[in-house]
Amino acid sequence: MPVANAQGATQPVRNEYVLGSGDVIRVTVYQNPDLTLETRVSEAGVISYPLLGSVKAGGLSVTQIENRIAEGLRTGNFVKQPQVTVLVVQVRGNQVSVLGQVNKPGRYPLEVADSKLSDVLAVAGGIAPSGADVVTVVGTRGGQPFRAEIDLARSVGQARANGDIQIVNGDVVWIDRAPMVYIYGEVQRAGASGSSAA
């Protein structure tokens, strides 16, 4: 259920997915199969819905868009007590890029509103053996450039909240190659060895 702030505007419910441009949704109205529709959220953040025309969907939670469509059907006297269900069929609008030394680099959808760094790294198959312990996250927060370097080795031993930051749409997660030390000369076993900071 949406939560109203002091100005009366509704905010998405915490932990609920927020729709973005490119997402594909299926709208179902109970006992009204002719109003069932599968549609894509446009670049402008709207969907075209029968009887209602253009409906703003981008930036709204699933619950909020369900309520908006239900209210439009009710106030337009199209359906007396509409029971609207919205299902996200494809997540295309909220994505993060995970690059560098991970097992499966690529772009991944953020399927929940409060995706954490550990969640995104898990989806990308974890850090590769050649990856460093420091993860760099670049993006924007509040319209301002954002950059954070998280030392995973240290943050695992501390409270999870310290290093497990929230990842948002458009973020880039970069894992650099771990530093290597080369040993030459008269040693028992020559070659490369990963360095670790103690």
Side-chain angles (χ1 to χ4, degrees):
M1 188 149 224
V3 179
N5 63 17
Q7 289 82 24
T10 58
Q11 297 294 321
V13 177
R14 186 165 165 73
N15 299 334
E16 193 171 1
Y17 180 74
V18 176
L19 296 170
S21 299
D23 287 344
V24 177
I25 61 173
R26 181 179 299 121
V27 182
T28 308
V29 181
Y30 180 67
Q31 292 187 336
N32 288 275
D34 52 329
L35 294 177
T36 295
L37 174 72
E38 190 166 304
T39 186
R40 181 183 152 295
V41 180
S42 74
E43 293 301 318
V46 298
I47 62 169
S48 180
Y49 192 75
L51 305 175
L52 303 180
S54 292
V55 178
K56 182 183 183 322
L60 298 180
S61 70
V62 171
T63 302
Q64 288 174 317
I65 191 64
E66 286 173 344
N67 291 339
R68 182 165 286 189
I69 292 171
E71 184 64 24
L73 292 172
R74 187 173 26 260
T75 58
N77 290 321
F78 301 117
V79 180
K80 288 188 189 247
Q81 294 181 340
Q83 295 178 14
V84 178
T85 304
V86 172
L87 174 70
V88 180
V89 178
Q90 286 184 337
V91 176
R92 298 273 189 214
N94 294 301
Q95 296 195 350
V96 60
S97 296
V98 185
L99 305 171
Q101 302 301 309
V102 289
N103 290 313
K104 295 186 291 184
R107 286 182 58 80
Y108 294 97
L110 297 172
E111 296 180 354
V112 292
D114 62 347
S115 294
K116 300 288 187 185
L117 176 60
S118 61
D119 301 327
V120 170
L121 289 174
V123 171
I127 297 177
S130 59
D133 288 339
V134 176
V135 176
T136 304
V137 178
V138 179
T140 57
R141 300 291 188 276
Q144 298 296 316
F146 171 82
R147 178 185 171 95
E149 291 188 359
I150 296 99
D151 186 337
L152 290 180
R154 288 196 179 140
S155 66
V156 167
Q158 300 171 358
R160 182 177 169 174
N162 289 347
D164 205 9
I165 65 171
Q166 183 172 342
I167 301 298
V168 300
N169 181 37
D171 279 355
V172 175
V173 177
W174 170 259
I175 295 85
D176 207 350
R177 185 175 298 278
M180 298 295 283
V181 176
Y182 293 91
I183 302 172
Y184 296 102
E186 294 187 31
V187 293
Q188 288 184 342
R189 201 173 73 206
S193 173
S195 71
S196 60

